[in-house]
Amino acid sequence: MNYQIDTTTERIFSTGGIALVGKICERIGFATNTSALVHPSVPRSLIGLFCMGRTRFEEIALFRQDTLFKESFQLPYVPAKETLRLYLERIAVQPKLLTEEVDSAVCALLQRSTLSKVYTEHQSYLPIDVDTSPLDNSKSNKEGVSRTYKQYDGYHPIFSYVGTEGYMLNCELREGKQHCQKGTPGFLKESLERLDRSGITGPKLFRLDGGNDSQDTLAQLCGREDVFFIVKRNLRREQREYWLSIAQSEGELSYRDEKKAVYTGFHTGKSSTEDESAMDIIFQVTVRQIGADGNELLFPDIEVETFWTNLSDPPETVLQFYHDHGTSEQFHSELKSDMNVERLPSGKFAVNAAVLQIAMVAFNILRFIGQSALVADDYPVQTKVKRKRLRKVIDDLVRIAVKFVHHGRTVILKLWYRDPWWRCFRKLYEKCCVM
Protein backbone atom coordinates (compact mmCIF):
# COMPACT_ATOMS: atom_id res chain seq x y z
CA MET A 1 0.00 0.00 0.00
CA ASN A 2 1.20 3.49 -0.85
CA TYR A 3 0.71 6.28 1.69
CA GLN A 4 0.37 10.01 1.32
CA ILE A 5 2.35 11.99 3.89
CA ASP A 6 0.72 15.15 5.22
CA THR A 7 0.74 17.38 8.31
CA THR A 8 -1.86 18.18 10.96
CA THR A 9 -2.38 21.03 13.37
CA GLU A 10 -3.31 18.63 16.17
CA ARG A 11 -0.65 18.42 18.88
CA ILE A 12 0.55 14.82 18.76
CA PHE A 13 3.73 13.80 20.55
CA SER A 14 5.73 10.59 20.34
CA THR A 15 7.25 10.89 23.83
CA GLY A 16 4.21 10.92 26.09
CA GLY A 17 6.17 9.25 28.90
CA ILE A 18 7.85 12.58 29.55
CA ALA A 19 4.70 13.35 31.55
CA LEU A 20 5.68 10.55 33.97
CA VAL A 21 9.27 11.77 34.20
CA GLY A 22 8.23 15.37 34.80
CA LYS A 23 5.75 14.39 37.52
CA ILE A 24 8.40 12.32 39.35
CA CYS A 25 10.84 15.25 39.15
CA GLU A 26 8.17 17.45 40.69
CA ARG A 27 7.37 14.99 43.50
CA ILE A 28 11.00 14.42 44.52
CA GLY A 29 11.71 18.16 44.32
CA PHE A 30 14.60 18.04 41.85
CA ALA A 31 15.81 21.46 40.64
CA THR A 32 12.60 23.31 41.44
CA ASN A 33 12.17 26.96 40.52
CA THR A 34 13.09 27.89 44.12
CA SER A 35 16.37 25.96 43.93
CA ALA A 36 19.66 27.71 44.66
CA LEU A 37 21.01 26.41 41.33
CA VAL A 38 21.65 28.86 38.55
CA HIS A 39 18.91 28.37 35.94
CA PRO A 40 17.34 25.19 37.45
CA SER A 41 15.40 24.56 34.25
CA VAL A 42 18.69 23.39 32.66
CA PRO A 43 19.09 20.27 34.86
CA ARG A 44 15.38 19.48 34.42
CA SER A 45 15.74 19.72 30.65
CA LEU A 46 18.72 17.36 30.77
CA ILE A 47 16.66 14.86 32.77
CA GLY A 48 14.15 14.87 29.92
CA LEU A 49 16.86 14.25 27.32
CA PHE A 50 18.50 11.46 29.32
CA CYS A 51 15.18 9.68 29.88
CA MET A 52 14.76 9.49 26.11
CA GLY A 53 18.26 8.09 25.57
CA ARG A 54 19.64 11.40 24.27
CA THR A 55 22.82 12.99 25.63
CA ARG A 56 24.01 15.55 23.07
CA PHE A 57 23.26 19.18 23.84
CA GLU A 58 22.29 19.69 20.20
CA GLU A 59 19.35 17.30 20.58
CA ILE A 60 17.47 19.76 22.78
CA ALA A 61 16.58 21.54 19.53
CA LEU A 62 14.15 18.69 18.77
CA PHE A 63 11.99 19.83 21.71
CA ARG A 64 12.13 23.62 21.48
CA GLN A 65 8.53 23.64 20.17
CA ASP A 66 7.38 20.65 22.23
CA THR A 67 4.55 21.84 24.48
CA LEU A 68 4.41 18.54 26.38
CA PHE A 69 8.14 18.67 27.20
CA LYS A 70 7.89 22.29 28.34
CA GLU A 71 4.83 21.87 30.56
CA SER A 72 5.83 18.48 32.02
CA PHE A 73 8.99 20.01 33.48
CA GLN A 74 7.31 23.35 34.26
CA LEU A 75 9.80 25.24 32.12
CA PRO A 76 9.34 28.92 31.23
CA TYR A 77 10.85 27.91 27.88
CA VAL A 78 12.89 25.02 26.54
CA PRO A 79 16.52 26.24 26.58
CA ALA A 80 18.72 26.23 23.50
CA LYS A 81 21.88 24.14 23.25
CA GLU A 82 23.99 27.23 23.92
CA THR A 83 22.02 27.88 27.11
CA LEU A 84 22.58 24.31 28.28
CA ARG A 85 26.34 24.62 27.80
CA LEU A 86 26.62 28.07 29.36
CA TYR A 87 24.62 27.38 32.51
CA LEU A 88 26.02 23.88 33.05
CA GLU A 89 29.46 25.48 33.16
CA ARG A 90 28.18 27.93 35.77
CA ILE A 91 26.59 25.10 37.78
CA ALA A 92 29.84 23.12 37.60
CA VAL A 93 31.70 26.02 39.27
CA GLN A 94 29.62 25.35 42.43
CA PRO A 95 29.48 21.53 42.53
CA LYS A 96 28.31 21.47 46.15
CA LEU A 97 24.95 23.01 45.23
CA LEU A 98 24.33 20.40 42.53
CA THR A 99 25.48 17.58 44.82
CA GLU A 100 23.00 18.69 47.49
CA GLU A 101 20.22 18.87 44.89
CA VAL A 102 21.02 15.41 43.50
CA ASP A 103 21.43 13.94 46.97
CA SER A 104 18.02 15.22 48.04
CA ALA A 105 16.37 13.86 44.88
CA VAL A 106 18.02 10.43 45.10
CA CYS A 107 17.13 10.06 48.79
CA ALA A 108 13.53 11.09 48.13
CA LEU A 109 13.19 8.57 45.30
CA LEU A 110 14.80 5.73 47.27
CA GLN A 111 12.37 6.37 50.13
CA ARG A 112 9.49 5.82 47.70
CA SER A 113 11.00 2.74 46.05
CA THR A 114 10.86 -0.93 46.93
CA LEU A 115 14.39 -2.24 47.48
CA SER A 116 14.63 -6.03 47.37
CA LYS A 117 17.07 -7.88 49.59
CA VAL A 118 19.04 -11.12 49.37
CA TYR A 119 18.16 -13.82 51.85
CA THR A 120 19.80 -16.61 53.79
CA GLU A 121 18.15 -19.10 56.09
CA HIS A 122 18.30 -16.79 59.10
CA GLN A 123 19.05 -13.29 57.79
CA SER A 124 18.39 -10.82 54.99
CA TYR A 125 20.76 -8.20 53.57
CA LEU A 126 20.30 -5.18 51.35
CA PRO A 127 22.98 -5.57 48.64
CA ILE A 128 25.12 -2.58 47.63
CA ASP A 129 27.33 -3.26 44.62
CA VAL A 130 30.34 -0.98 44.18
CA ASP A 131 32.32 -1.11 40.95
CA THR A 132 34.02 1.03 38.32
CA SER A 133 33.22 1.01 34.62
CA PRO A 134 35.22 2.86 31.93
CA LEU A 135 33.42 5.23 29.56
CA ASP A 136 34.83 5.17 26.04
CA ASN A 137 35.60 8.74 24.95
CA SER A 138 38.38 7.86 22.52
CA LYS A 139 39.43 10.17 19.69
CA SER A 140 38.58 13.24 21.76
CA ASN A 141 40.57 15.93 23.55
CA LYS A 142 38.29 16.22 26.56
CA GLU A 143 39.76 17.20 29.88
CA GLY A 144 40.47 14.15 32.05
CA VAL A 145 40.30 11.62 29.22
CA SER A 146 43.25 9.21 29.41
CA ARG A 147 44.11 5.55 28.92
CA THR A 148 41.87 3.14 30.85
CA TYR A 149 42.54 -0.47 31.80
CA LYS A 150 40.26 -1.49 28.90
CA GLN A 151 42.97 -0.13 26.56
CA TYR A 152 40.98 2.78 25.17
CA ASP A 153 40.89 6.47 26.09
CA GLY A 154 38.06 7.60 28.31
CA TYR A 155 36.90 8.21 31.86
CA HIS A 156 36.91 5.71 34.74
CA PRO A 157 33.94 6.54 37.01
CA ILE A 158 32.86 4.57 40.07
CA PHE A 159 29.26 3.61 40.81
CA SER A 160 27.29 2.06 43.65
CA TYR A 161 23.91 0.38 43.20
CA VAL A 162 21.44 -0.56 45.93
CA GLY A 163 18.93 -3.40 45.96
CA THR A 164 18.59 -6.26 43.51
CA GLU A 165 16.66 -3.85 41.22
CA GLY A 166 19.80 -1.76 40.73
CA TYR A 167 18.90 1.77 41.82
CA MET A 168 21.99 3.97 41.55
CA LEU A 169 23.04 5.12 44.99
CA ASN A 170 26.11 7.19 44.13
CA CYS A 171 28.52 7.92 41.29
CA GLU A 172 31.73 9.85 40.78
CA LEU A 173 33.49 10.77 37.55
CA ARG A 174 37.22 10.03 37.49
CA GLU A 175 40.07 10.37 35.05
CA GLY A 176 40.67 7.36 32.85
CA LYS A 177 44.11 6.62 34.27
CA GLN A 178 42.97 6.69 37.91
CA HIS A 179 43.22 3.38 39.79
CA CYS A 180 39.89 2.03 40.99
CA GLN A 181 40.99 2.07 44.65
CA LYS A 182 42.01 5.72 44.74
CA GLY A 183 39.27 7.67 46.52
CA THR A 184 37.13 4.57 47.16
CA PRO A 185 37.09 4.82 51.00
CA GLY A 186 35.68 8.34 50.74
CA PHE A 187 33.18 7.18 48.13
CA LEU A 188 32.03 4.38 50.46
CA LYS A 189 31.60 6.88 53.28
CA GLU A 190 29.43 9.12 51.08
CA SER A 191 27.34 6.11 50.02
CA LEU A 192 26.76 5.06 53.64
CA GLU A 193 25.76 8.59 54.60
CA ARG A 194 23.30 8.72 51.69
CA LEU A 195 21.76 5.44 52.84
CA ASP A 196 21.30 6.92 56.30
CA ARG A 197 19.69 10.06 54.91
CA SER A 198 17.33 7.87 52.88
CA GLY A 199 16.13 6.22 56.08
CA ILE A 200 17.29 2.77 54.96
CA THR A 201 17.93 0.55 57.96
CA GLY A 202 18.82 -3.07 58.55
CA PRO A 203 21.83 -5.17 57.50
CA LYS A 204 23.62 -3.97 54.37
CA LEU A 205 25.92 -6.11 52.25
CA PHE A 206 28.68 -4.35 50.28
CA ARG A 207 30.25 -6.32 47.42
CA LEU A 208 33.53 -5.18 45.84
CA ASP A 209 36.03 -6.59 43.35
CA GLY A 210 39.68 -7.42 43.91
CA GLY A 211 40.80 -3.96 42.81
CA ASN A 212 39.49 -2.68 46.15
CA ASP A 213 41.39 -5.20 48.29
CA SER A 214 42.88 -2.58 50.57
CA GLN A 215 43.32 -1.87 54.26
CA ASP A 216 41.53 1.48 53.85
CA THR A 217 38.49 -0.13 52.21
CA LEU A 218 38.12 -2.77 54.91
CA ALA A 219 38.61 -0.20 57.67
CA GLN A 220 35.79 1.91 56.22
CA LEU A 221 33.42 -1.07 56.11
CA CYS A 222 34.35 -2.53 59.51
CA GLY A 223 33.22 0.49 61.50
CA ARG A 224 29.49 -0.29 61.74
CA GLU A 225 27.52 -3.24 63.10
CA ASP A 226 24.88 -3.08 60.35
CA VAL A 227 27.41 -3.21 57.50
CA PHE A 228 28.60 -6.53 56.09
CA PHE A 229 30.92 -6.99 53.13
CA ILE A 230 32.47 -9.37 50.65
CA VAL A 231 35.71 -8.10 49.11
CA LYS A 232 37.64 -10.28 46.70
CA ARG A 233 41.25 -10.81 47.82
CA ASN A 234 44.36 -10.62 45.70
CA LEU A 235 46.68 -13.59 46.21
CA ARG A 236 49.74 -11.42 45.67
CA ARG A 237 52.70 -13.69 46.54
CA GLU A 238 50.67 -16.53 48.02
CA GLN A 239 51.22 -19.83 46.27
CA ARG A 240 48.26 -21.72 44.84
CA GLU A 241 49.66 -24.94 46.28
CA TYR A 242 49.47 -23.35 49.73
CA TRP A 243 45.74 -22.75 49.32
CA LEU A 244 45.22 -26.23 47.91
CA SER A 245 46.72 -27.71 51.08
CA ILE A 246 44.44 -25.52 53.22
CA ALA A 247 41.42 -26.48 51.12
CA GLN A 248 42.13 -30.19 51.47
CA SER A 249 42.69 -29.95 55.23
CA GLU A 250 40.09 -27.32 56.27
CA GLY A 251 37.59 -27.19 53.42
CA GLU A 252 34.88 -29.45 52.09
CA LEU A 253 34.76 -31.18 48.73
CA SER A 254 31.70 -29.49 47.22
CA TYR A 255 31.95 -30.95 43.69
CA ARG A 256 33.90 -33.63 41.89
CA ASP A 257 33.84 -35.26 38.48
CA GLU A 258 36.44 -36.78 36.17
CA LYS A 259 37.67 -33.35 35.08
CA LYS A 260 37.87 -31.30 38.28
CA ALA A 261 37.39 -31.13 42.03
CA VAL A 262 36.12 -28.04 43.87
CA TYR A 263 36.84 -27.29 47.54
CA THR A 264 35.11 -24.55 49.53
CA GLY A 265 35.46 -23.39 53.11
CA PHE A 266 36.62 -20.62 55.39
CA HIS A 267 40.03 -20.02 56.87
CA THR A 268 40.72 -17.97 60.00
CA GLY A 269 44.14 -16.74 60.92
CA LYS A 270 44.96 -14.40 58.08
CA SER A 271 44.96 -10.70 58.86
CA SER A 272 43.96 -8.00 56.39
CA THR A 273 46.62 -5.76 57.94
CA GLU A 274 49.45 -6.29 60.36
CA ASP A 275 47.65 -4.33 63.05
CA GLU A 276 44.21 -5.88 62.78
CA SER A 277 42.86 -9.06 64.33
CA ALA A 278 42.29 -12.12 62.21
CA MET A 279 39.46 -11.95 59.68
CA ASP A 280 37.64 -14.81 58.03
CA ILE A 281 38.62 -15.71 54.49
CA ILE A 282 36.20 -17.63 52.30
CA PHE A 283 37.95 -19.71 49.66
CA GLN A 284 37.10 -21.75 46.62
CA VAL A 285 39.87 -23.89 45.16
CA THR A 286 39.36 -25.72 41.86
CA VAL A 287 41.77 -28.49 40.78
CA ARG A 288 41.54 -29.46 37.11
CA GLN A 289 42.97 -32.75 35.92
CA ILE A 290 41.78 -32.44 32.31
CA GLY A 291 42.25 -29.33 30.18
CA ALA A 292 39.67 -27.53 28.09
CA ASP A 293 40.82 -29.47 25.02
CA GLY A 294 40.04 -32.78 26.71
CA ASN A 295 43.64 -33.86 27.24
CA GLU A 296 44.84 -35.01 30.63
CA LEU A 297 47.20 -32.54 32.28
CA LEU A 298 50.66 -33.60 33.37
CA PHE A 299 50.38 -31.26 36.38
CA PRO A 300 46.97 -30.25 37.78
CA ASP A 301 45.77 -26.71 37.11
CA ILE A 302 44.86 -24.95 40.37
CA GLU A 303 42.45 -21.99 40.45
CA VAL A 304 42.05 -20.07 43.71
CA GLU A 305 39.46 -17.48 44.70
CA THR A 306 39.54 -15.94 48.17
CA PHE A 307 37.37 -13.28 49.78
CA TRP A 308 37.47 -11.06 52.88
CA THR A 309 34.12 -11.15 54.68
CA ASN A 310 32.51 -10.60 58.06
CA LEU A 311 29.50 -12.76 57.21
CA SER A 312 28.81 -15.81 59.35
CA ASP A 313 26.88 -17.64 56.63
CA PRO A 314 28.10 -20.88 54.99
CA PRO A 315 30.87 -20.50 52.37
CA GLU A 316 28.56 -21.61 49.54
CA THR A 317 26.12 -18.82 50.41
CA VAL A 318 28.87 -16.18 50.54
CA LEU A 319 30.24 -17.35 47.18
CA GLN A 320 26.77 -17.17 45.63
CA PHE A 321 26.30 -13.65 47.00
CA TYR A 322 29.58 -12.55 45.40
CA HIS A 323 28.78 -14.18 42.06
CA ASP A 324 25.49 -12.24 42.03
CA HIS A 325 27.65 -9.11 42.20
CA GLY A 326 28.25 -9.65 38.46
CA THR A 327 24.72 -8.36 37.81
CA SER A 328 26.07 -4.84 38.37
CA GLU A 329 27.72 -5.12 34.94
CA GLN A 330 24.19 -5.09 33.50
CA PHE A 331 23.47 -1.88 35.41
CA HIS A 332 26.56 -0.30 33.82
CA SER A 333 25.31 -1.44 30.42
CA GLU A 334 21.91 0.14 30.98
CA LEU A 335 23.54 3.50 31.74
CA LYS A 336 26.04 3.37 28.87
CA SER A 337 23.98 1.62 26.17
CA ASP A 338 20.30 2.06 26.99
CA MET A 339 20.60 5.69 28.10
CA ASN A 340 23.59 6.40 25.85
CA VAL A 341 25.54 8.01 28.71
CA GLU A 342 29.05 7.09 27.60
CA ARG A 343 30.50 9.77 25.34
CA LEU A 344 29.94 12.72 27.65
CA PRO A 345 28.97 15.93 25.85
CA SER A 346 31.39 18.55 27.21
CA GLY A 347 35.11 19.08 26.83
CA LYS A 348 35.40 20.20 30.48
CA PHE A 349 35.82 17.64 33.23
CA ALA A 350 33.75 19.53 35.82
CA VAL A 351 30.81 19.87 33.41
CA ASN A 352 30.90 16.17 32.54
CA ALA A 353 31.00 15.36 36.27
CA ALA A 354 27.82 17.43 36.70
CA VAL A 355 26.24 15.69 33.68
CA LEU A 356 26.92 12.27 35.25
CA GLN A 357 25.30 13.38 38.51
CA ILE A 358 22.17 14.49 36.66
CA ALA A 359 22.20 11.25 34.66
CA MET A 360 22.05 9.35 37.96
CA VAL A 361 18.71 11.00 38.78
CA ALA A 362 17.37 10.14 35.32
CA PHE A 363 18.61 6.55 35.71
CA ASN A 364 16.68 6.15 38.97
CA ILE A 365 13.54 7.75 37.53
CA LEU A 366 13.52 5.25 34.66
CA ARG A 367 14.19 2.42 37.12
CA PHE A 368 11.26 3.56 39.28
CA ILE A 369 8.94 3.67 36.26
CA GLY A 370 10.04 0.22 35.09
CA GLN A 371 9.71 -1.46 38.48
CA SER A 372 6.34 0.22 39.14
CA ALA A 373 5.08 -1.02 35.77
CA LEU A 374 6.10 -4.61 36.49
CA VAL A 375 3.93 -4.81 39.60
CA ALA A 376 0.97 -3.02 38.00
CA ASP A 377 -2.20 -5.07 37.51
CA ASP A 378 -2.56 -3.81 33.93
CA TYR A 379 0.93 -4.77 32.73
CA PRO A 380 0.13 -5.95 29.17
CA VAL A 381 2.79 -8.66 28.84
CA GLN A 382 2.96 -11.84 30.90
CA THR A 383 6.50 -12.12 32.21
CA LYS A 384 8.47 -13.58 35.10
CA VAL A 385 11.25 -11.00 35.02
CA LYS A 386 11.92 -9.05 38.21
CA ARG A 387 13.68 -6.06 36.63
CA LYS A 388 12.63 -4.18 33.51
CA ARG A 389 15.62 -3.06 31.48
CA LEU A 390 15.82 0.69 30.92
CA ARG A 391 15.78 0.36 27.14
CA LYS A 392 12.40 -1.39 27.40
CA VAL A 393 11.18 1.35 29.75
CA ILE A 394 12.12 3.99 27.18
CA ASP A 395 10.60 2.06 24.28
CA ASP A 396 7.37 1.01 26.02
CA LEU A 397 6.55 3.84 28.40
CA VAL A 398 8.50 6.96 27.40
CA ARG A 399 8.26 6.81 23.62
CA ILE A 400 4.51 6.40 23.67
CA ALA A 401 2.26 8.43 21.35
CA VAL A 402 -0.18 10.86 22.96
CA LYS A 403 -2.46 13.66 21.82
CA PHE A 404 -2.17 16.86 23.85
CA VAL A 405 -5.59 18.47 24.41
CA HIS A 406 -6.61 21.65 26.26
CA HIS A 407 -10.24 21.45 27.38
CA GLY A 408 -11.42 24.33 29.51
CA ARG A 409 -8.79 24.62 32.23
CA THR A 410 -7.84 20.96 31.99
CA VAL A 411 -4.97 19.39 30.06
CA ILE A 412 -5.70 15.90 28.75
CA LEU A 413 -3.25 13.38 27.30
CA LYS A 414 -5.12 11.04 24.99
CA LEU A 415 -3.76 7.63 24.00
CA TRP A 416 -5.12 5.37 21.30
CA TYR A 417 -7.82 3.28 22.93
CA ARG A 418 -6.25 0.03 21.64
CA ASP A 419 -2.74 0.86 22.75
CA PRO A 420 -1.78 -2.12 24.96
CA TRP A 421 0.05 0.20 27.37
CA TRP A 422 -2.61 2.83 27.96
CA ARG A 423 -4.09 1.31 31.15
CA CYS A 424 -0.64 0.70 32.60
CA PHE A 425 0.39 4.25 31.64
CA ARG A 426 -2.65 5.73 33.40
CA LYS A 427 -2.00 3.72 36.57
CA LEU A 428 1.65 4.82 36.56
CA TYR A 429 0.71 8.49 36.22
CA GLU A 430 -1.78 8.20 39.09
CA LYS A 431 0.93 6.60 41.23
CA CYS A 432 3.42 9.35 40.34
CA CYS A 433 0.91 12.01 41.36
CA VAL A 434 0.68 10.68 44.92
CA MET A 435 4.19 9.29 45.47
Side-chain angles (χ1 to χ4, degrees):
M1 178 180 290
N2 295 325
Y3 296 97
Q4 289 186 353
I5 309 300
D6 203 351
T7 61
T8 178
T9 56
E10 293 182 313
R11 289 185 287 184
I12 301 172
F13 302 100
S14 62
T15 54
I18 285 299
L20 300 176
V21 178
K23 180 56 68 174
I24 294 174
C25 273
E26 176 188 334
R27 300 300 296 178
I28 63 177
F30 177 69
T32 61
N33 291 329
T34 58
S35 168
L37 290 174
V38 179
H39 211 320
S41 61
V42 166
R44 295 205 302 274
S45 300
L46 281 178
I47 290 288
L49 286 182
F50 291 150
C51 286
M52 291 183 286
R54 303 178 183 275
T55 55
R56 297 170 59 237
F57 293 144
E58 290 77 11
E59 291 178 298
I60 194 66
L62 300 173
F63 305 96
R64 295 298 305 281
Q65 307 301 321
D66 191 321
T67 307
L68 177 61
F69 189 94
K70 172 177 170 289
E71 296 199 4
S72 294
F73 291 103
Q74 301 178 7
L75 304 175
Y77 59 89
V78 180
K81 62 179 181 180
E82 295 84 1
T83 306
L84 288 182
R85 286 186 182 276
L86 174 63
Y87 283 97
L88 267 179
E89 290 178 6
R90 294 186 180 181
I91 290 173
V93 173
Q94 297 178 308
K96 186 177 180 180
L97 290 177
L98 179 63
T99 300
E100 291 174 352
E101 197 75 35
V102 169
D103 178 78
S104 174
V106 171
C107 290
L109 193 53
L110 290 180
Q111 290 170 0
R112 294 164 170 81
S113 304
T114 301
L115 302 176
S116 299
K117 301 180 179 181
V118 293
Y119 294 89
T120 65
E121 185 177 353
H122 304 290
Q123 185 61 279
S124 63
Y125 305 95
L126 181 66
I128 295 101
D129 294 295
V130 181
D131 196 10
T132 61
S133 181
L135 305 181
D136 186 356
N137 282 255
S138 54
K139 297 183 180 180
S140 68
N141 296 316
K142 299 173 185 176
E143 182 184 0
V145 167
S146 52
R147 203 68 172 173
T148 67
Y149 73 90
K150 289 285 190 180
Q151 302 307 312
Y152 54 68
D153 294 335
Y155 296 107
H156 190 196
I158 186 171
F159 304 92
S160 61
Y161 303 94
V162 60
T164 59
E165 297 83 4
Y167 286 91
M168 192 182 297
L169 176 64
N170 198 4
C171 67
E172 178 184 293
L173 189 65
R174 298 174 170 181
E175 294 185 1
K177 63 184 179 182
Q178 183 170 326
H179 189 274
C180 63
Q181 174 58 22
K182 184 178 180 181
T184 297
F187 181 81
L188 291 174
K189 182 180 178 182
E190 291 175 5
S191 299
L192 282 167
E193 290 173 349
R194 183 164 291 175
L195 285 170
D196 292 338
R197 287 192 293 272
S198 301
I200 297 173
T201 58
K204 307 169 184 66
L205 177 61
F206 281 77
R207 303 185 285 201
L208 296 93
D209 292 334
N212 300 117
D213 177 12
S214 166
Q215 171 187 354
D216 296 334
T217 298
L218 296 174
Q220 185 66 52
L221 296 174
C222 284
R224 293 175 42 160
E225 294 182 354
D226 62 338
V227 172
F228 299 85
F229 59 85
I230 307 173
V231 180
K232 189 170 185 179
R233 293 178 72 251
N234 294 317
L235 294 180
R236 295 183 172 89
R237 297 182 181 180
E238 298 171 0
Q239 297 296 318
R240 291 180 174 84
E241 290 76 10
Y242 164 77
W243 278 103
L244 177 58
S245 65
I246 290 179
Q248 291 174 335
S249 61
E250 301 181 13
E252 295 183 358
L253 182 62
S254 59
Y255 179 83
R256 179 190 286 276
D257 61 16
E258 60 181 9
K259 293 184 178 181
K260 67 179 182 180
V262 180
Y263 299 88
T264 58
F266 68 90
H267 176 60
T268 303
K270 285 285 183 181
S271 175
S272 59
T273 70
E274 295 180 357
D275 300 326
E276 292 183 2
S277 59
M279 183 180 296
D280 283 347
I281 297 176
I282 299 295
F283 61 80
Q284 178 172 278
V285 179
T286 304
V287 184
R288 300 183 186 275
Q289 304 290 346
I290 298 177
D293 55 1
N295 293 323
E296 188 172 351
L297 300 174
L298 183 61
F299 299 100
D301 179 39
I302 303 172
E303 297 178 4
V304 179
E305 287 186 299
T306 60
F307 306 88
W308 296 116
T309 185
N310 59 349
L311 292 172
S312 58
D313 298 290
E316 294 77 10
T317 302
V318 176
L319 290 168
Q320 184 58 51
F321 281 167
Y322 182 78
H323 293 157
D324 292 342
H325 170 61
T327 307
S328 63
E329 296 295 336
Q330 297 180 25
F331 305 152
H332 298 326
S333 175
E334 289 179 283
L335 177 72
K336 297 194 289 186
S337 299
D338 297 2
M339 291 178 61
N340 199 29
V341 182
E342 182 159 23
R343 295 193 69 87
L344 300 179
S346 178
K348 298 181 179 180
F349 183 85
V351 175
N352 284 333
V355 166
L356 190 62
Q357 290 285 314
I358 297 170
M360 173 169 59
V361 179
F363 181 98
N364 287 336
I365 288 174
L366 289 176
R367 179 72 75 212
F368 180 84
I369 293 173
Q371 295 308 115
S372 299
L374 281 178
V375 298
D377 296 333
D378 296 312
Y379 193 74
V381 182
Q382 291 185 355
T383 179
K384 295 181 180 179
V385 301
K386 297 181 180 179
R387 176 172 55 86
K388 190 175 177 69
R389 193 172 172 98
L390 297 192
R391 171 50 57 185
K392 294 295 292 179
V393 176
I394 294 172
D395 290 344
D396 295 340
L397 292 165
V398 176
R399 294 175 179 170
I400 187 169
V402 298
K403 181 179 178 181
F404 190 88
V405 178
H406 271 290
H407 183 73
R409 295 184 179 182
T410 305
V411 179
I412 305 171
L413 296 183
K414 291 190 174 184
L415 284 73
W416 182 43
Y417 76 106
R418 287 189 176 178
D419 189 319
W421 292 97
W422 84 266
R423 289 185 176 86
C424 181
F425 186 89
R426 183 172 64 181
K427 288 284 183 65
L428 282 175
Y429 190 77
E430 292 171 354
K431 180 177 180 178
C432 293
C433 288
V434 298
M435 63 179 288

